Structure formats: C-alpha cells, structure tokens
Amino acid sequence: MSKRILVILGHPARDSFCAALADSYVEGAKAAGNELESIALGNLSFDPVLHNGYATIQDLEPDLVAAQAAIARAQHIVFIYPIWWGAMPALLKGFIDRVFLPGFAFKYRDDSIFWDRLLAGRSAQLLVTMDTPPWYFRWLYRMPGHNQMKRTILEFSGIKPVSISSFGPIRGSSEQQRNKWLARVHAYGRQA
C-alpha cells in the first residue's frame, strides 16, 4: 500500500551530502510506488525568526503556507539534516518555529497544562548526518538534537512513531562509505 510521504531537506545547501541522501530516499520511495512531495528549506523564502514568540503569530509567507499544506497531506514525514553544535541547523529550527504553530501542530487546552496533538496519525523518520561518531553522540552527549526533534517537537505534536538513523562521521568518510549510506537510505525509501 502506497503512502503520501513528505521529504524535508533541512540542510541549507542543495549540493550537500544531506541533499544526496534526500535524492536517494525519494528515488527508493518512488520506486516502491509512494506519492512524494519534497521541500528543500534552502530554496524557500521566509523569515526564520519568530519575532514575538507565540504572543502574536506572524503572517506566514507563501512558502510556509505551502509547507503546512504538505505536512497536513503527509502520512509520513522524513527530515534530513545535519547535526551542527549538537542540534539541527538554525534554518530548520526557524522553519519549525514558524510552521509548527499553535492551532496547526498543537493546541493547549483552556486553563490546563495539557494539550492536543494536532498532527497525530503521521509517522516520521529522521536521517541525520554528523561529523561526530554516532556512538559518541549517543553515549557521551546523550543525543540532544535527536531528543529535541523526536520528543519535544514531533511527538509533542502527535507525530509517532519517530525513527532515527545517524550517519557519520561524514568528515573524512570514503566514497565507498558514502555509497553504502546512500544505498541504505534508498532501501529505507523502498520500505516506507
């Protein structure tokens, strides 16, 4: 059974290894008969700064309106991005700040600390590159960027299950190793 999949490239550069991973995933998912949409954040035009927090919601630029519509259509969302300074790039964080808004991603209940998860019914996969060895990121740093995306953003909004695959260290990796990673991501797309 085919799925409606949205691939979000969170690396600002279109010529990055993350972009190659996104292309590989899309090829695999299309080969399996899935319906795909892609968003490359580096190609969008929007202000990534949430100037007033959630006190006053900024008008969404057309690219962000289209992104919300794509997220609403998706059954499965794939985020592909690098870990920089322990977390996602600022562009991806700004995208999330601007798009995963109250009333779209979640809604606090009146006079309560509890909330409704408005994006429930979707799953996600995080394909994350890093220059730190993944075992080191896991055991010594305790995966701050992974926990942020999985628990405090996606699951908070109702998106689950969320699977995470880490690729690294990218710096100094051989072409053979990168080809193995690309093949692995292609297989993920075929299995989506």
Side-chain angles (χ1 to χ4, degrees), residues 80-177:
I80 303 171
Y81 59 93
I83 290 290
W84 291 344
W85 292 106
M88 69 189 81
L91 183 63
L92 178 55
K93 179 62 167 65
F95 174 82
I96 289 167
D97 286 347
R98 294 290 315 283
V99 169
F100 281 60
L101 297 171
F104 175 74
F106 67 96
K107 182 180 185 296
Y108 284 113
R109 297 176 189 162
D110 292 336
D111 300 320
S112 174
I113 62 167
F114 298 103
W115 67 98
D116 294 319
R117 294 166 169 87
L118 302 180
L119 296 177
R122 292 162 184 80
S123 58
Q125 185 169 20
L126 310 180
L127 304 177
V128 186
T129 64
M130 59 186 69
D131 285 333
T132 302
W135 65 266
Y136 193 93
F137 188 70
R138 178 183 185 91
W139 297 110
L140 278 107
Y141 290 145
R142 303 279 189 224
M143 306 181 302
H146 291 359
N147 289 323
Q148 178 186 29
M149 269 298 274
K150 179 177 180 170
R151 293 190 177 115
T152 66
I153 296 171
L154 300 177
E155 289 179 353
F156 180 90
S157 301
I159 299 172
K160 62 181 179 176
V162 178
S163 66
I164 304 171
S165 297
S166 300
F167 303 91
I170 298 297
R171 200 179 91 167
S173 62
S174 67
E175 183 177 348
Q176 179 182 11
Q177 178 61 65

Side-chain angles (χ1 to χ4, degrees), residues 33-94:
N34 294 294
E35 180 183 326
L36 264 94
E37 288 187 77
S38 295
I39 298 172
L41 297 188
N43 294 340
L44 301 187
S45 178
F46 71 99
D47 181 355
V49 178
L50 192 61
H51 292 279
N52 299 306
Y54 294 133
T56 305
I57 302 296
Q58 295 163 232
D59 289 338
L60 293 179
E61 294 87 347
D63 284 344
L64 297 185
V65 172
Q68 278 190 338
I71 290 168
R73 285 189 296 272
Q75 295 171 297
H76 184 66
I77 305 170
V78 180
F79 291 88
I80 303 171
Y81 59 93
I83 290 290
W84 291 344
W85 292 106
M88 69 189 81
L91 183 63
L92 178 55
K93 179 62 167 65

